[in-house]
Amino acid sequence: MATSRLEINFIRLLSRCESIASEKRGETEWRLEKYVGALEEMLVALKKSASKPPPETLTDYTRKVGFLKGLIVAEKLSSPTEKALANQFLAPGRTPTISSERMPATKTVHVQSKARCTGEMRSELFGTVSSSAGLPETDLRHRRSIPADERQSTAELDAVLQHHHNLQEKLAEEMLGLARNLKNNTLAAQNIIKQDNQTLSQSMRQADVNFEKLRTESERLEQHAKKSVNWFFWLMLILVSFTFISMILFIRLFPRLR
């Protein structure tokens, strides 16, 4: 199916949004949010279009637009920790938007965003330590509790990330087990259906054989019945003829008395 004009414009705008998202943007950057809003409207129109793309392509388009929306929301968060957590739940697209891409641009943007959030967290931690290096001893003692709090926050963040990672691995293992059980159940159902089909075929063949035998026996019985009727007819004819002849002879041999 040929690509419609609406889809071509959507792909161009999506590629432009991915390009803007991969760049380092300032707080006054407004184009990405406006472009993503236009992408949402075009995606709705594309889903309602008569020449809409296949469902797999629409699903990937939806993932990419949702990823860009989530990226905008994550960048508006104030804390680097919150940004890092929000980036963990972003789902980039699975296929390249344009043919010249070796890998989906949204995956590249996702990796860059993660690295940027990690750098901001490190800068925040190390900036606190370096700022306390030039202070007097009394102020340094007063602020020694801040790096400890930051280290505690980092440890908590690592624990949360590790917990989510473990949950994802557990979920993946459960999904793999469910897929394996589904495959085994499907194979078992296929074997049962195959055996049932074989049994049904054998029953049909046996029914055909029995029908042929029944028809043969019916023909033989019909022929036998015809033969029995014929013998009975000839026997009655002979009996009637014998009776008639006997009466004639009786009348001739014994005339009526006068």
Side-chain angles (χ1 to χ4, degrees):
M1 182 183 294
T3 305
S4 62
R5 187 66 181 175
L6 178 61
E7 186 176 359
I8 293 175
N9 294 333
F10 176 82
I11 292 174
R12 289 178 179 175
L13 184 58
L14 179 60
S15 178
R16 179 59 179 161
C17 289
E18 292 172 348
S19 178
I20 295 175
S22 62
E23 300 172 356
K24 187 175 181 180
R25 303 180 305 280
E27 296 180 356
T28 59
E29 178 62 44
W30 55 269
R31 292 180 300 168
L32 182 59
E33 187 172 356
K34 296 293 183 181
Y35 288 172
V36 171
L39 272 178
E40 289 184 282
E41 296 177 358
M42 295 177 68
L43 181 60
V44 173
L46 192 61
K47 290 180 179 179
K48 296 179 180 179
S49 176
S51 58
K52 61 182 179 181
E56 296 81 6
T57 306
L58 280 176
T59 301
D60 196 59
Y61 288 164
T62 305
R63 286 174 62 92
K64 291 177 180 179
V65 175
F67 170 79
L68 293 174
K69 287 179 59 180
L71 183 65
I72 294 173
V73 173
E75 289 180 349
K76 290 182 179 180
L77 298 175
S78 58
S79 172
T81 304
E82 294 177 352
K83 292 181 180 180
L85 286 175
N87 271 279
Q88 291 292 328
F89 296 99
L90 295 179
R94 298 178 179 176
T95 58
T97 303
I98 56 178
S99 58
S100 61
E101 295 177 352
R102 293 186 176 180
M103 67 177 295
T106 49
K107 288 187 177 181
T108 304
V109 174
H110 195 202
V111 173
Q112 293 175 351
S113 179
K114 285 183 177 180
R116 192 158 48 244
C117 292
T118 304
E120 290 179 1
M121 292 174 61
R122 289 178 179 176
S123 299
E124 184 179 4
L125 291 175
F126 292 129
T128 305
V129 175
S130 60
S131 62
S132 62
L135 295 176
E137 184 178 357
T138 55
D139 294 339
L140 183 61
R141 290 177 181 177
H142 178 70
R143 295 198 175 186
R144 278 180 181 175
S145 60
I146 298 178
D149 294 338
E150 295 294 339
R151 286 195 297 270
Q152 184 179 1
S153 300
T154 305
E156 292 177 356
L157 175 61
D158 293 338
V160 171
L161 294 177
Q162 185 64 31
H163 176 67
H164 285 290
H165 181 68
N166 294 335
L167 289 178
Q168 291 177 357
E169 289 184 349
K170 184 178 179 181
L171 182 60
E173 291 177 356
E174 291 179 356
M175 293 178 64
L176 183 61
L178 291 175
R180 189 180 295 111
N181 292 334
L182 181 61
K183 181 180 178 181
N184 294 332
N185 294 334
T186 303
L187 292 176
Q190 288 179 354
N191 293 330
I192 293 174
I193 293 173
K194 185 177 180 180
Q195 293 176 0
D196 291 342
N197 289 334
Q198 292 178 354
T199 304
L200 182 60
S201 299
Q202 293 177 357
S203 300
M204 292 179 65
R205 286 195 297 269
Q206 187 65 33
D208 292 337
V209 172
N210 293 336
F211 179 75
E212 291 295 332
K213 290 182 179 180
L214 180 61
R215 187 173 63 179
T216 302
E217 293 297 330
S218 298
E219 292 176 354
R220 290 178 58 186
L221 181 60
E222 185 178 359
Q223 293 177 0
H224 181 70
K226 289 181 179 180
K227 290 180 180 179
S228 300
V229 171
N230 291 336
W231 281 108
F232 182 74
F233 175 75
W234 287 108
L235 181 62
M236 292 299 294
L237 183 60
I238 293 171
L239 182 61
V240 171
S241 300
F242 177 75
T243 304
F244 180 74
I245 295 172
S246 299
M247 290 178 62
I248 297 297
L249 291 177
F250 181 78
I251 294 171
R252 293 290 185 183
L253 292 178
F254 300 99
R256 187 175 58 180
L257 295 177
R258 296 183 180 178

